[in-house]
Amino acid sequence: MQTDETWATTSDVAVGENSSLTSEQYRKKMERRKQVQEVRVTNASTEKGLIIVNTGNGKGKTTAALGMVLRALGHGYKVAIIQFIKGAWEPAEKRVFSIWQDDLLEFHAMGEGFTWETQDRDRDIEKAVEAWQKGLEYIRNPDFKLVLLDEINIALKLAYLGVEEVLAGLAQKPPDNHVILTGRGAPTALIEQADLVTEMSLIKHPFRDQGIKAQPGIEY
C-alpha cells in the first residue's frame, strides 16, 4: 500500500532527469527505488500514538487535521474535537461530522471567536482554560483514539495557556492514542516534543492578495 510517507520518499525525482532516460533505464531506476522503499517499510516496525502539530501561516492546518479525523472515523475509532477559537461560528464540517456524533465523535466548539472580535483577554483566557480542561479529559481517556485540539497553538502563542502545562497533559495520553494540535505560532517546546510537525507556508492567499472574501466550501 502506498501511503503519504512512501510517496514523500519517491516523488522527489526531477521531471527532466527522468525524461532523458530510456524506458529500460527508467524501469531499472524505479526498481532500485522500490527495493530501497521496501527496506524502509520493513524496518519501520514501531507503533506508537503520535503528537501531531499543524502550524505555519498558510491555509490548511485545520483542514488537514479534519482529514485525519475522517480517516479515524472510517476505521471506527472514537474521536474528540475541541475548538479553541472558532466556536462563535458554525463550520460546514461540523454539520457533516454530526452523523457520527453521539456514537464515535464528540465535537465541542468552546471558543467565542477570534481574539480581535472578543477584545476581552480575561474572557479569552477563561474560555481557553475551559477548552483545555475538556480536551484533557479526552486525552486521558483510552477510548478516544484521536483528539483534535483545533487552534490551541494560538492560545499558547498568546499565553492564554502555559506550554509546560499542555506538554504535561500530552504526556498523560495512552501510548497508542494520537493528539493533533493546530494553529499558527506553535511554540518551540511543543514542536520538539511532537512526533509529526507540518508547517503550512503561505505563498499566495486570495484574501490577502486579491481581497476575495471567505467562501463556503473553501474557508468554511
Side-chain angles (χ1 to χ4, degrees):
M1 178 179 64
Q2 179 157 295
T3 66
D4 294 344
E5 292 74 19
T6 59
W7 176 250
T9 60
T10 59
S11 62
D12 56 355
V13 183
V15 174
E17 179 185 350
N18 278 337
S19 64
S20 64
L21 301 178
T22 66
S23 296
E24 181 60 17
Q25 288 172 328
Y26 180 83
R27 186 192 65 77
K28 290 181 177 179
K29 184 171 186 176
M30 292 303 104
E31 179 60 29
R32 289 194 298 271
R33 282 184 167 270
K34 179 182 178 182
Q35 292 170 358
V36 169
Q37 188 57 37
E38 286 175 347
V39 171
R40 288 173 174 168
V41 171
T42 299
N43 290 339
S45 56
T46 303
E47 294 184 13
K48 68 172 287 191
L50 304 178
I51 296 173
I52 301 166
V53 174
N54 292 347
T55 192
N57 293 327
K59 174 178 166 51
K61 297 176 286 293
T62 295
T63 305
L66 291 174
M68 289 189 179
V69 166
L70 190 61
R71 282 177 171 175
L73 292 169
H75 283 285
Y77 298 143
K78 295 191 75 170
V79 178
I81 299 174
I82 313 296
Q83 289 189 322
F84 279 73
I85 302 295
K86 301 171 182 173
W89 56 289
E90 289 289 314
E93 56 264 23
K94 184 175 180 181
R95 293 195 295 272
V96 173
F97 283 135
S98 66
I99 64 174
W100 283 285
Q101 284 188 262
D102 302 322
D103 182 15
L104 295 178
L105 177 67
E106 297 284 341
F107 198 125
H108 298 274
M110 302 189 68
E112 293 183 334
F114 295 97
T115 53
W116 59 84
E117 294 172 338
T118 60
Q119 301 176 21
D120 185 339
R121 179 176 174 81
D122 290 341
R123 179 68 173 173
D124 288 342
I125 292 174
E126 177 186 342
K127 299 304 292 185
V129 170
E130 288 180 7
W132 168 241
Q133 291 303 319
K134 176 61 69 174
L136 193 55
E137 293 177 14
Y138 291 110
I139 290 171
R140 292 168 171 162
N141 189 334
D143 293 335
F144 283 84
K145 183 73 171 180
L146 177 65
V147 178
L148 167 56
L149 305 175
D150 187 40
E151 304 288 6
I152 190 175
N153 295 340
I154 293 178
L156 290 168
K157 179 181 179 182
L158 296 174
Y160 294 169
L161 297 171
V163 177
E164 294 304 320
E165 178 186 4
V166 170
L167 292 178
L170 293 174
Q172 298 177 47
K173 77 174 186 65
D176 295 331
N177 291 2
H178 313 294
V179 181
I180 309 175
L181 305 93
T182 73
R184 64 182 63 198
T188 300
L190 174 60
I191 291 174
E192 290 175 350
Q193 187 73 15
D195 302 288
L196 172 59
V197 180
T198 300
E199 181 177 13
M200 309 294 186
S201 298
L202 176 61
I203 298 175
K204 295 177 69 175
H205 197 289
F207 175 76
R208 185 193 68 172
D209 300 323
Q210 302 179 60
I212 297 174
K213 66 180 183 179
Q215 302 179 71
I218 303 298
E219 278 82 19
Y220 62 92

